[in-house]
Amino acid sequence: MRIFLIGFMGCGKSYNGTRLAKVLNMPFVDLDNYIEEKAGKTIAEIFSEQGEEHFRKLEQQALHQMTAFDNIVISCGGGTPCFFDNMEWMNENGDTVYLKCTPQTLEKRLVKGKAKRPLIKDLDEQNELINFIKSKLEKREPFYSKAKTIFNTESEQYEPWIILGHKIS
Ligand code: S3P
């Protein structure tokens, strides 16, 4: 079983991916961390030194390398499903779970985690951040919506969450 967690920056992919992997007793890979280790640079450094286009190529390569693992939980970057044929590829090579959040919730979380995220680090917290989230999310939603499972993180009534039939707490 190969599980890809997808969704916007700040939707909880890494946090919940770690928990899900623990419940399933499976290894966990954060795709951004994997890229950083391979490149020997942070995501911010890759963006500023080599540009986003180069980052997207590294991201796709890293994604394809996940076929080396048969049982794994992978937390993708927020943009992973939206470039090349990555979304179709993930659906062909595993289970995809979209962790869906409202722009307001994402904003609250991203204010704290802005600095390490090149796409939002220079946005002010008055209007720019929320406007960016709303417009980017609208463009990305068609990709995210192709996930095999869509998990509404704010409307699911049950706690602990049940993702792909597994209780995570
Ligand atoms: C990105 C999201 C980031 C990281 C990079 C680009 C995006 O990952 O891959 O900064 O395009 O949304 P997180 O979603 O883990 O923050």
Side-chain angles (χ1 to χ4, degrees):
M1 182 167 30
R2 208 176 284 131
I3 302 172
F4 297 98
L5 292 183
I6 65 162
F8 207 81
M9 292 175 264
C11 72
K13 300 176 295 276
S14 301
Y15 176 65
N16 291 296
T18 313
R19 294 158 78 202
L20 184 61
K22 206 176 256 178
V23 170
L24 295 172
N25 198 20
M26 273 161 54
F28 169 76
V29 170
D30 177 305
L31 204 63
D32 280 340
N33 292 347
Y34 182 87
I35 295 167
E36 289 181 331
E37 272 166 34
K38 287 251 158 189
K41 290 176 185 185
T42 64
I43 300 295
E45 284 166 346
I46 300 172
F47 264 75
S48 69
E49 292 169 19
Q50 291 152 300
E52 180 173 354
E53 209 174 310
H54 182 72
F55 169 75
R56 296 301 171 192
K57 286 184 192 152
L58 295 182
E59 183 176 52
Q60 189 188 33
Q61 280 167 18
L63 187 63
H64 288 184
Q65 286 165 9
M66 294 302 114
T67 50
F69 310 100
D70 286 331
N71 284 300
I72 190 144
V73 177
I74 301 144
S75 125
C76 297
T80 313
C82 315
F83 289 84
F84 311 111
D85 63 346
N86 290 350
M87 193 62 214
E88 286 74 20
W89 187 90
M90 286 189 273
N91 275 332
E92 281 162 20
N93 288 279
D95 286 319
T96 45
V97 180
Y98 169 27
L99 299 184
K100 194 170 172 143
C101 278
T102 60
Q104 290 70 23
T105 298
L106 295 170
E107 183 198 20
K108 271 186 222 138
R109 295 192 192 146
L110 288 174
V111 164
K112 292 173 211 142
K114 244 172 55 153
K116 65 179 172 96
R117 291 179 163 103
L119 294 181
I120 56 170
K121 70 174 177 29
D122 297 325
L123 303 180
D124 74 41
E125 289 157 29
Q126 304 305 314
N127 292 310
E128 286 177 358
L129 182 59
I130 186 73
N131 288 342
F132 172 88
I133 294 169
K134 283 181 182 163
S135 78
K136 201 68 156 182
L137 188 57
E138 199 178 301
K139 290 194 191 104
R140 289 182 168 183
E141 194 69 40
F143 295 93
Y144 294 155
S145 304
K146 290 183 193 159
K148 291 182 190 172
T149 302
I150 297 178
F151 190 85
N152 279 301
T153 63
E154 283 155 273
S155 64
E156 300 297 338
Q157 295 303 310
Y158 37 81
E159 182 60 48
W161 285 0
I162 297 172
I163 296 185
L164 297 176
H166 300 280
K167 242 188 221 181
I168 67 166
S169 54

